[in-house]
Amino acid sequence: MNESEFLAGYDPRAYPAVAVTVDVVALTIRGGELHVLLVQRGEQPYAGRWALPGGFIRPGEDLPEAAARELAEETGLAERVHIEQLASYGAPERDPRMRVVSISYLAFAPGLPDPRAGSDAADAAWHRADRLPELAFDHERILGNGLERARDKLEYTPLATAFAGERFTISELRAVYETVWGVPLHAGNFHRKILSVPGFVESTGETTESGGARGGPRAKLYRAGDARLLHPALLRPAREEEVR
């Protein structure tokens, strides 16, 4: 049987309806704190409750394209954002409307501006990752998985540079790690570890314009190197103790 003959006898009504959505865990650092982007739902189900940016994919639209579109439409954020697939969620009762499978994405960028709500959202705002409201659907689980993925990836990839901007000091990079991991790090040990990882960062040959509030020496500026994986990895303090 060729394809045209098969399609002529195919009745989609014979199969249960299933929809596909995308949800985005968007993270940034604002005021020295890790923040996640949430939208307040303007429609049922869960009208008025906060949720991750997302929605149904359109016919002919690929998943990464849908994630980028939803992030742009509901928040106005589209540029300078690193985005990658996180996980899939398909529990039968996760959405009261019908069987809905969600493909989640993780997005990072430094210093993102205040968002704007899209047509199907009542509001959009950055929320501190440690001070979150009750979320719609199973978005608390998705967000928790996204935060843990981000913390893990700081150990073995140069993801931290996606939070730091095009040029940064080692101190600024350390602040990213401290904020995402939620623990203080020894400045000298961190500096030594960063410069010992091949391809993690590279010098721009420039320095900061001043030495900071205490009038110290000007700090060297760095940019992301060409490494895709960090070897050796930068383990979180708790994991370092486990290794020992």
Side-chain angles (χ1 to χ4, degrees):
M1 178 182 293
N2 61 39
E3 184 176 355
S4 60
E5 291 174 328
F6 165 75
L7 291 176
Y10 172 71
D11 183 2
R13 294 171 297 180
Y15 301 90
V18 176
V20 179
T21 63
V22 291
D23 291 302
V24 183
V25 178
L27 303 174
T28 196
I29 295 175
R30 294 165 63 88
E33 301 288 348
L34 183 64
H35 283 68
V36 60
L37 183 63
L38 299 177
V39 296
Q40 189 174 38
R41 290 184 57 80
E43 302 174 355
Q44 292 292 356
Y46 301 109
R49 192 174 294 185
W50 292 91
L52 297 171
F56 293 94
I57 66 170
R58 295 174 178 174
E61 188 176 47
D62 199 6
L63 292 170
E65 181 183 358
R69 174 184 55 77
E70 286 290 348
L71 190 60
E73 286 182 353
E74 295 198 12
T75 66
L77 304 177
E79 300 178 355
R80 301 185 298 114
V81 177
H82 167 86
I83 188 166
E84 62 181 63
Q85 192 172 122
L86 172 61
S88 57
Y89 301 84
E93 306 300 328
R94 63 178 302 273
D95 193 308
R97 292 168 291 190
M98 62 184 298
R99 183 67 184 272
V100 177
V101 175
S102 176
I103 311 301
S104 63
Y105 282 80
L106 195 55
F108 318 94
L112 290 175
D114 290 332
R116 65 171 186 270
S119 58
D120 58 350
D123 196 6
W126 291 105
H127 290 249
R128 276 183 51 168
D130 60 349
R131 297 180 183 177
L132 295 173
E134 185 177 4
L135 302 182
F137 304 104
D138 55 354
H139 288 188
E140 182 177 354
R141 177 191 176 196
I142 298 175
L143 174 55
N145 291 345
L147 289 170
E148 191 58 28
R149 167 75 71 84
R151 291 168 181 142
D152 285 345
K153 292 199 70 171
L154 258 62
E155 294 187 344
Y156 62 89
T157 76
L159 172 63
T161 60
F163 286 97
E166 294 184 3
R167 301 187 308 162
F168 48 84
T169 66
I170 298 298
S171 294
E172 289 170 339
L173 192 63
R174 187 180 79 252
V176 171
Y177 275 88
E178 291 179 331
T179 300
V180 178
W181 283 349
V183 294
L185 300 173
H186 186 278
N189 289 343
F190 180 84
H191 192 283
R192 175 180 52 80
K193 289 179 180 179
I194 292 298
L195 297 186
S196 69
V197 178
F200 187 5
V201 299
E202 59 182 34
S203 174
T204 65
E206 304 172 282
T207 62
T208 55
E209 294 183 0
S210 65
R214 296 185 179 182
R218 294 186 295 178
K220 293 181 180 179
L221 289 170
Y222 295 83
R223 55 175 166 254
D226 58 5
R228 293 295 173 263
L229 294 174
L230 304 184
H231 183 73
L234 276 71
L235 300 180
R236 280 182 262 182
R239 295 195 180 183
E240 283 186 325
E241 293 299 325
E242 292 175 3
V243 172
R244 292 172 186 170

